[in-house]
Amino acid sequence: MKKKVLVPYLYIIPGLFMVLFFVYIPVVSNFIYSFFRLSSYSAEKIFVGFENYIKLFTDEVFLIMIRNNIYYAVISLIVQVGIGTMLAILIESKYSGKFRNLYRNIYFIPALISLTAVGLLFKFVYSPDIGLLNSALRFLNLDGLTHAWLGESKLAIFCVIAMSQWQFTGYITVLMVVAVQNIPKEYLEAAEIDGAGPIKKVINVMLPLVKEQLLVCSIITIIGAFKLFTEIYTTTSGGPGNSSQVLGVYLYQNAFLHDDMGLAAATGVLIFIITVGISIIQINAAKSGEV
Amino acid sequence: MNYKSSNKKKPTKEYILKILLNIFFIFLSFMIILPLLWLIINSFKTNRELFKNSLALPEKWLFSNYKEAWDKGLFSYFKNSVIVSFISLIFILFFSSLLAYGITRFNIKFNKIIFFVVLGGMALSEQVALVPLYKILQNLNLYNTYFALILPYIAFRIPFTVFLMRAYFLSIPKELEEAGYIDGYNSFQIFYKIIVPISKPIFASCAIVNLNFVWNEFLFANVFLESKSIMTIPIGLMTFQGDMKANYTVMLAGITIASIPMIAMFLIMQKQFIEGLTSGAVKG
Amino acid sequence: MDISDEFYNDEEWSSSLLLSQVNEYRDGDVLYGLPFRLDAKMFFYNIDIFNELGLEVPETWDEFIQVCETLKQNGITPIAYGNQDQWPSSHYIGSINQMVVNNETRLKDLEPSTGEFTDPNYVLALDYYQQLIPYFNDSPNAYSHDMARNIFSQENAAMIYAELVEIPYIKEENPDLNYGMFGFPLIEGEGDPTLLTGSPEGFVISANTKYPEEAIDFLKYLTGPEVGKQEVQEVGWFNAGKGIVDGLEDQKLLEAYEILEGAEKMAGWFDSSLYSTVCNEYLIVTSVLTNGEMTPEEAMSKIQKVAQEAQTLVQDTEDN
C-alpha cells in the first residue's frame, strides 16, 4: 500500500522539480539579488539595502520608461484589442462572404513571424532613404510626410508600437473570432426580433457575451506591454538617446552591459510586481466566469 | 441568390454592404501583406538595385541570395532551432502530461496546492528570472550549450501546458481507467495505453502553442548562448545581420527563410493551431 | 601571460612586427598579447566627386569645413553618417578630444577612479562636432553605420569617417568606386595631433596555460608576417607583420597599410576606453545632441555627474 501512495508523486516530481528549480528559485533569487550589488563575472556580493531601488526610481530614464510602457499598453488596447475585436465581429458577420477565413489567415500571419525577424524587417521599412514607408510616401507624392522615423526622438517609440500593432492585431482577431462564433445564435436572433439594429446588436448583445475573452485579451496585451524587450532591442535599443527605452531593455542593459546586476534585479522585481498584479486580476476575472 | 424578403430594396442593400465590406477587407489585407511583399521582392535583388529603388521589381530574380543566406548561416541556425525546439517540446509534453496525470487521476492530499504552485509559474516572466538563471547556468557549466535553452524552456512552458492538460484530463471519464485496472494494467500502462491516445487533440494543441513560443524565443537565446555554432534562429538572425553588413539583400533573404516554417505549419494545420491558441489564450 | 622577455629578447621576432602596433598590447613592462587585426579610422572620400568640383584633400579643420560647404552648395551630401547604434559618434568625439584636450588630462579622465571630464575643452570638442551636423545626411540617428557606408559606396555622399577594416566591405558594395583616404582634419588645440584613432584587436595567452611554449609558438605564427600575407590577400585585413603587402595590387590596401606603418602612436577607441556607465552616458548625450536636442554644456554636465558616480563605484569595489 505504501507503494501506491508514492506513485502519484513519481508522476508529479519531474515537472514540479523543473518549475521549482528553473522558475521559482530564480525569481526568489532575483528578489534577494535586488538588495545587493553584484556583477556577472565575480561571485562577490555587497549588501546595499534599498540602494538599487532608489537608483531605479530616481534614474532620469525611469519616467521615460514607464511612460513608454504605458503608451504601449494603451495603444495596444485600442488597436489590437479594440480594432481586432471589431474586425472579428465584421468577419463573422453575414456580410463578409466566403473569403472570410482567407482574410482571417492573412491578418494572422504576421503573428507567426519571429519578433527578431519583424524587428529587423521594420528597421528597413523605416529607413529614411530606401525604406518602404518613405519610398511609398514619395511614390504617392506625399513627400512632406516623410520622416526619419526611428531616428526621431519623438517618433521612435511610436514607430515600434505601430510595428507591434501590425504584428498582433490579427492574433487578437483570431481569438475573438472564436469567441464570437461561440455566441449562441438564439441571443442574436432574439435581439433581431426585438428590432435591434446592427450597432445595438453589437454593443448590447455581442460584446457582453464575449466579455471573458475580451478581458483575457486585454490582460495579455497589457502584460505584454510591460514585459516588452525584443521589439525595442532589435530596432532602437532604447534610442535615440533614451527616448524609446523600456523596462525590459533597461534590465538587460544594466545586467549585461553595465555589469550592474543588482539594479537589473530591482528592475525585475518591478516588472514582477506589475505583471503579477495584472495576472491576479486575470485569474480572478477568469474564475468568475468559469463553468 | 435567394431573396427571402419580398421588399425589393433590402437585397440590394445587403449586396452593396457585402461588396463594401469585402473591399475594406481586401484593402486591409494589402496593407498587412505589403511589408512582406516588399521583403520578398527585395530579397531577390542585388544590393545596388535595392539602393536605387526599393519599390521596383528585381531585374533578375536572384535565387542565389537565398542559397547564400542558407549557406552562410541560416542552415546552422535552422538546425539548432530544430534541435532545441524538438527536444524541449518532447520534454514539455512528457513532464506536463505526467504532472497533469498525477494530480488528476489520483486523489492525493496536495493536489490543489501543487496545481496552484505550478499554475503560479505562469505569472512569472522571463525577465524576472533572467539574472539568476544566468548565474545558475554558469555554475552548472551549462552556459552556452543547448541545455542552457532547453531546460529553461521546459520549465517555463510546463505551467501553461499543465493548465491545459489538466482541464482536458478532468473530462476523461473514470470508467476508462477502471477498465484498465481490471485488466491488470499498472498506472503507467494506463497512462500511455489509455489516457495518451485519447488526448491526442490536447497534445497537438499544446505542441503547437509551445512550438511557437520556443521557436521564436529571443531573450534567453540572446543571453545564454554565445557561440554562433549553437545559436537558434532568433539570435542567429541578429548575428547574421552583423555578418551581412555589406549585403542587405542576402540578409533579407535570411529573414524570409527564417519566417517560412511557422507560416507553413499554420497553413497546413490551421484548425489545431487555432484550437491551441484559443484554449487559455496566452500570447507567446 | 607576460611574453615581453620572449619577444623583446628575440631580435628576429621583434623586428618582424610593427612596434607601434605591438605597443598597444603593452601595460607598463608587461607585454600580454600581440595584434591580429590592425585598425584605424580615416576619412574616406570619393575622388571623382572631388575632382568634378576641383576640391583638394583638406588638411586643417577650416579647409575641411570649406570642402563640406562647397559640396553642400552643389547639392551633394558631404558626409555620410549613421549613428543609429550610437557608437559611431564616439569615434568623432574621440578623435576631436585627442586634438583639443591635453593628453595627460585626457588619459586621467579615461580612468574611472580619476575621471572628471571638467576640462572646458571637452565642451569645445562637442562644439566642433556640432559644426559638422549641417554637413551630415539628414537624421543620422535613423541610419546604421553600415547603411551610411552603403550610401557612400553607392556615391550618394562624398565622404565617410570609417575604419580601415571596412575596405573589403566597400569593395563588395561597389568594386568600381574611386576613393581615397585622409586623416581627421587637424584642429589646433592643447592635445596631441600625432595620435591615430584606432587600435588593433589581437590575442593574449592565458597565464594559466598548461602549454606556454606551444602557445607562444602559435601566437608567433598567427600574428607574424607569413599569416599576415595570407590575411591581407584573402580577407583584406592586416596583422602587425612587416612587409605583408609586398606584391599586393590593391591600391587601397596599400595606402591603408602605409598609414598604419607611419603611425607613431595609436589612440584607441574612445568608447572602449571609457568606463561603461560613462561611455553609455557619452553615447546617449551625443545621440541627443546630434538630433539638436541638447547643448554641449548640458551634455558635459551630465557626463561629469556620471563620472563622479563612477569614481565612487570603482572605489567601493576596490575597498571590498
Side-chain angles (χ1 to χ4, degrees), chain A residues 7-9 11-12 14-16 18-24 26-27 29-30 33 38-40 42 80 87 90-91 93-97 103-110 112-114 116-117 120-125 130-132 135-136 139 166 168 171 174-175 178 213 216 220 227-230 233-234 251-252 255-256 261 264 268 271-272 275-276 279, chain B residues 14 17-18 21-22 24-26 28-29 31-36 38-39 50-51 54-55 95 98-99 101-103 106 108 110 114 117-118 120-121 123-136 140 151 154-156 158-159 187-188 216 218-219 222-223 234 237-238 241 248 251-252 255 259 262-263 266 270 273-274 277-278 280-283:
Chain A
V7 162
Y9 290 102
Y11 288 106
I12 294 175
L16 187 61
M18 289 300 285
V19 175
L20 287 177
F21 190 73
F22 286 101
V23 180
Y24 275 90
V27 170
S29 305
N30 191 68
Y33 284 174
L38 60 159
S39 96
S40 24
S42 70
Q80 284 176 44
L87 270 180
L90 286 174
I91 286 184
S93 78
K94 56 186 174 181
Y95 302 112
S96 53
Y103 297 135
R104 181 203 67 191
N105 287 351
I106 292 180
Y107 305 148
F108 181 66
I109 282 180
L112 294 162
I113 307 178
S114 134
T116 323
L120 291 177
L121 171 62
F122 271 77
K123 227 172 151 170
F124 256 100
V125 168
I130 63 174
L132 172 62
S135 299
F139 182 73
W166 173 85
F168 292 114
Y171 182 92
V174 163
L175 297 182
V178 174
Q213 189 69 313
V216 166
I220 351 164
K227 280 167 62 169
L228 202 59
F229 172 73
T230 309
Y233 184 76
T234 55
L251 189 161
Y252 171 84
F256 301 104
M261 294 205 144
I271 296 180
F272 175 80
T275 54
V276 167
S279 295
Chain B
E14 218 177 87
L17 275 176
K18 252 193 171 172
L21 196 57
N22 273 280
F24 169 67
F25 281 144
I26 293 178
L28 194 58
S29 303
M31 296 302 284
I32 298 271
I33 294 207
L34 194 56
L36 298 176
W38 186 78
L39 167 67
L50 169 68
F51 276 87
S54 76
L55 292 181
F95 287 169
L98 287 181
L99 221 179
Y101 182 61
I103 56 177
F106 306 90
I108 55 176
F110 300 112
I114 294 179
V117 164
V118 171
L124 304 176
S125 62
E126 300 87 50
Q127 279 92 344
V128 186
L130 185 67
V131 168
L133 261 183
Y134 173 76
K135 292 232 170 224
I136 291 178
L140 291 176
L151 295 176
I154 297 174
F156 272 86
I158 285 181
S187 63
F188 191 66
N216 290 332
F218 179 67
L219 182 64
N222 185 26
V223 173
L237 270 184
M238 298 291 289
Q241 182 207 27
Y248 287 145
M251 190 192 78
L252 294 178
I255 294 181
S259 309
M262 289 313 291
I263 297 182
F266 167 67
Q270 279 175 49
F273 230 106
I274 295 187
L277 291 174
T278 51
V282 173
K283 205 193 295 188

Side-chain angles (χ1 to χ4, degrees), chain B residues 192-208:
Chain B
Y192 76 82
K193 283 192 190 222
I194 300 183
I195 304 282
V196 171
I198 216 182
S199 308
K200 283 213 189 99
I202 196 71
F203 269 84
S205 303
C206 287
I208 291 177

Side-chain angles (χ1 to χ4, degrees), chain A residues 197-242:
Chain A
I199 299 185
K200 265 217 169 130
K201 220 167 66 173
V202 167
I203 300 183
N204 292 342
V205 181
M206 293 179 96
L207 288 183
L209 286 171
V210 295
K211 84 168 175 243
E212 265 103 47
Q213 189 69 313
L214 256 185
L215 190 62
V216 166
C217 287
S218 305
I219 304 273
I220 351 164
T221 307
I222 300 181
I223 292 188
F226 282 95
K227 280 167 62 169
L228 202 59
F229 172 73
T230 309
E231 292 87 334
I232 303 276
Y233 184 76
T234 55
T235 52
T236 61
S237 283
N242 271 324

Side-chain angles (χ1 to χ4, degrees), chain B residues 137-157:
Chain B
L137 290 170
Q138 290 262 7
N139 289 335
L140 291 176
N141 268 327
L142 291 176
Y143 176 75
N144 203 29
T145 65
Y146 283 136
F147 286 103
L149 291 187
I150 293 176
L151 295 176
Y153 285 170
I154 297 174
F156 272 86
R157 297 310 293 176

Side-chain angles (χ1 to χ4, degrees), chain A residues 156-167:
Chain A
I157 184 68
F158 293 108
C159 290
V160 182
I161 294 180
M163 172 183 92
S164 275
Q165 309 317 305
W166 173 85
Q167 191 173 12

